[in-house]
């Protein structure tokens, strides 16, 4: 029988290293970027690099890591899938196969024992709530049981291209840092432009995107609206839909994890789904499996009169 999780000193050393490199270092890099404003002010170049890389890597996470690889909500051509996996890798949130295994484990045990990052298992009262938020938002990544990819992601392990991309994870992060540094240096023809590009398009971008994603794990499992019945404590935070690429329709997603649209209705902002529809319109994605109106109606929570 295949073990569902793996926990040993070697795995914990890897987790600690990743935590320091890609969770703590971006905080330091953001502080350095603020200090570097004395050398080079924040301008159009910095904004463009921050926004552009944030958009690319954020869409890589939501459309690639989450909707395509974890939940198989649509199918895509091989090169599109590879680009989404590489873009998601540059976000610094873990190799694609590991990320998928963790997220499938989260859905299996959501807000129950075994959930890697639930905010609702740390005790009662405001102290328990604060401990839970700190754990689910940030601290859980330092050390946790590692979901066995053989159990949780056997389909991805059969994809040789995806396995190769996953193994090159650290190189994709280096690429995600090198691109803004190179652009900044070439545009300004100066070392200050290169450093500023590295800081704002690299470290600050990783810091911003990480905390947006982590807030879904933490705050949206405690606060927000719940239009649909689901066994865990997921909530929607529609006001944050744009900056989360549609991920903040979190209750919708937990109620219908097979749906490529997290907003479910056309008028709900969902940039991740917009990208998938754009790919489908170009013939690069297909088999989008939306829940039926009757299924959504059956799961809708009826408010008391």
């Amino acid at each position: 029988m295949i073990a569902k999780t793996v926990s040993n000193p070697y795995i914990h050393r890897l987790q600690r290293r990743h935590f320091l490199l890609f969770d703590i270092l971006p905080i330091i890099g953001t502080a350095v970027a603020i200090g570097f404003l004395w050398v080079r002010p924040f301008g159009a170049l910095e904004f463009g690099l921050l926004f552009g890389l944030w958009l690319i890597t954020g869409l890589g996470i939501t459309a690639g890591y989450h909707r395509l690889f974890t939940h198989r909500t649509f199918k895509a051509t091989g090169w599109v899938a590879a680009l989404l996996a590489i873009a998601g890798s540059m976000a610094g949130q873990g190799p694609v196969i590991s990320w998928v295994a963790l997220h499938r484990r989260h859905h299996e045990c959501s807000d129950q024992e075994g959930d890697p990052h639930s905010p609702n298992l740390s005790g009662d009262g405001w102290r328990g709530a604060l401990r839970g938020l700190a754990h689910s938002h940030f601290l859980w990544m330092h050390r946790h049981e590692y979901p066995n990819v053989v159990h949780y992601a056997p389909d991805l392990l059969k994809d040789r291209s995806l396995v190769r991309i996953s193994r090159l994870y650290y190189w994709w992060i280096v690429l995600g840092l090198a691109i803004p540094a190179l652009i900044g240096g070439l545009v300004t023809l100066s070392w200050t432009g290169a450093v500023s590009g590295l800081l704002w398009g690299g470290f600050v971008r990783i810091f911003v995107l990480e905390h947006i994603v982590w807030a879904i794990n933490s705050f949206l499992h405690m606060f927000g609206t719940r239009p649909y019945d689901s066994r865990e404590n997921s909530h929607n935070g529609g006001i944050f839909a744009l900056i989360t690429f549609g991920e903040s329709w979190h209750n919708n997603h937990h109620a219908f994890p097979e749906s490529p649209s997290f907003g479910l209705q056309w008028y709900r902002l969902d940039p991740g789904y917009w990208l998938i529809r754009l790919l489908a319109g170009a013939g690069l994605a297909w088999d989008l499996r939306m829940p039926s109106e009757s299924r959504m109606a059956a799961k809708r929570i009826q408010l008391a009169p």
Side-chain angles (χ1 to χ4, degrees):
M1 183 176 178
I2 299 173
K4 285 189 173 185
T5 60
V6 181
S7 185
N8 58 54
Y10 174 71
I11 291 291
H12 295 322
R13 282 198 300 272
L14 292 179
Q15 290 170 343
R16 186 164 55 249
R17 182 177 71 182
H18 192 277
F19 180 75
L20 292 173
L21 286 176
F22 306 123
D23 302 329
I24 299 298
L25 188 58
I27 298 174
I28 297 172
T30 299
V32 173
I34 294 171
F36 199 71
L37 292 174
W38 292 97
V39 178
R40 178 182 169 83
F42 185 86
L45 174 66
E46 288 74 17
F47 175 79
L49 291 173
L50 171 60
F51 180 79
L53 270 296
W54 167 79
L55 184 65
I56 291 169
T57 56
L59 288 172
I61 290 291
T62 186
Y65 271 37
H66 197 185
R67 307 188 204 208
L68 175 59
F69 300 120
T70 301
H71 296 292
R72 298 300 196 185
T73 65
F74 67 101
K75 296 176 182 175
T77 60
W79 68 269
V80 168
L83 287 178
L84 287 172
I86 290 169
S89 298
M90 291 193 296
Q93 296 181 21
V96 57
I97 295 177
S98 295
W99 197 100
V100 167
L102 274 164
H103 197 71
R104 288 177 178 176
R105 172 77 171 172
H106 163 64
H107 272 263
E108 178 185 66
C109 306
S110 189
D111 285 325
Q112 300 174 30
E113 200 64 40
D115 186 344
H117 46 67
S118 172
N120 298 305
L121 303 174
S122 299
D124 299 323
W126 66 268
R127 287 188 179 87
L130 288 178
R131 282 196 302 268
L133 283 172
H135 166 79
S136 62
H137 189 80
F138 190 67
L139 297 179
W140 72 274
M141 290 169 283
H142 180 260
R143 179 189 172 105
H144 58 87
E145 288 190 334
Y146 179 70
N148 190 343
V149 296
V150 176
H151 175 80
Y152 284 101
D155 53 326
L156 303 190
L157 293 175
K158 296 175 183 177
D159 187 331
R160 290 198 294 179
S161 173
L162 207 59
V163 170
R164 193 177 305 114
I165 289 170
S166 194
R167 286 175 176 169
L168 294 172
Y169 168 65
Y170 285 94
W171 289 105
W172 301 128
I173 294 180
V174 170
L175 180 64
L177 296 173
I179 288 173
L182 182 62
I183 293 174
L186 290 176
V187 169
T188 64
L189 296 178
S190 67
W191 70 268
T192 58
V195 172
S196 193
L198 171 65
L199 292 172
W200 291 98
F203 292 111
V204 177
R205 179 260 307 171
I206 291 175
F207 170 82
V208 170
L209 182 59
E210 281 180 336
H211 284 275
I212 287 172
V213 171
W214 297 342
I216 295 162
N217 295 337
S218 56
F219 290 97
L220 289 185
H221 272 262
M222 295 187 76
F223 310 105
T225 60
R226 283 180 55 82
Y228 294 104
D229 181 44
S230 58
R231 63 178 175 79
E232 79 302 305
N233 203 36
S234 60
H235 295 75
N236 286 342
I239 193 172
F240 306 111
L242 274 180
I243 65 169
T244 62
F245 305 98
E247 291 280 336
S248 66
W249 302 111
H250 199 53
N251 173 252
N252 294 1
H253 166 58
H254 269 275
F256 308 101
E258 77 284 358
S259 173
S261 169
F262 291 173
L264 298 178
Q265 278 80 27
W266 66 267
Y267 53 86
R268 293 202 172 104
L269 303 175
D270 189 351
Y273 183 56
W274 298 343
L275 173 62
I276 295 168
R277 286 300 301 268
L278 184 65
L279 292 171
L284 301 173
W286 62 94
D287 198 15
L288 281 62
R289 298 179 290 121
M290 292 289 293
S292 65
E293 290 293 333
S294 60
R295 185 159 178 259
M296 288 193 289
K299 296 199 78 169
R300 181 171 289 279
I301 296 174
Q302 301 297 322
L303 299 178

